[in-house]
Amino acid sequence: FTDADIVTGGSEHTILPVKEAVALLKRSNRATEAYIIKHTDHSFTGKEEKLSRLVVSFLRRVTARRP
């Protein structure tokens, strides 16, 4: 990443603003959901349980919609 890729305070790494990136994803996949887990690193150190809950919850909702 370059300085241009890092958004305010280094808390987000994206070329586009996060809202625009999520909007693009939602247009291409209506099941898209996005969450920001603050105060962690790229390995989600210290936030593993929160990440796990989000992923499991998402998978339950998505698979429940399938016939």
Side-chain angles (χ1 to χ4, degrees), residues 2-63:
T2 68
D3 291 341
D5 299 325
I6 301 173
V7 180
T8 310
S11 62
E12 302 168 0
H13 297 279
T14 180
I15 293 171
L16 296 172
V18 172
K19 287 183 181 182
E20 288 181 40
V22 172
L24 284 172
L25 288 170
K26 285 184 176 185
R27 278 197 294 254
S28 66
N29 182 344
R30 62 189 174 109
T32 297
E33 295 181 17
Y35 301 92
I36 295 174
I37 300 176
K38 295 182 178 183
H39 310 294
T40 193
D41 55 24
H42 288 285
S43 297
F44 299 96
T45 304
K47 304 290 183 165
E48 297 90 348
E49 285 188 39
K50 181 173 183 79
L51 176 63
S52 296
R53 284 193 304 273
L54 289 169
V55 170
V56 168
S57 176
F58 172 78
L59 291 173
R60 284 184 178 147
R61 285 192 305 282
V62 171
T63 57

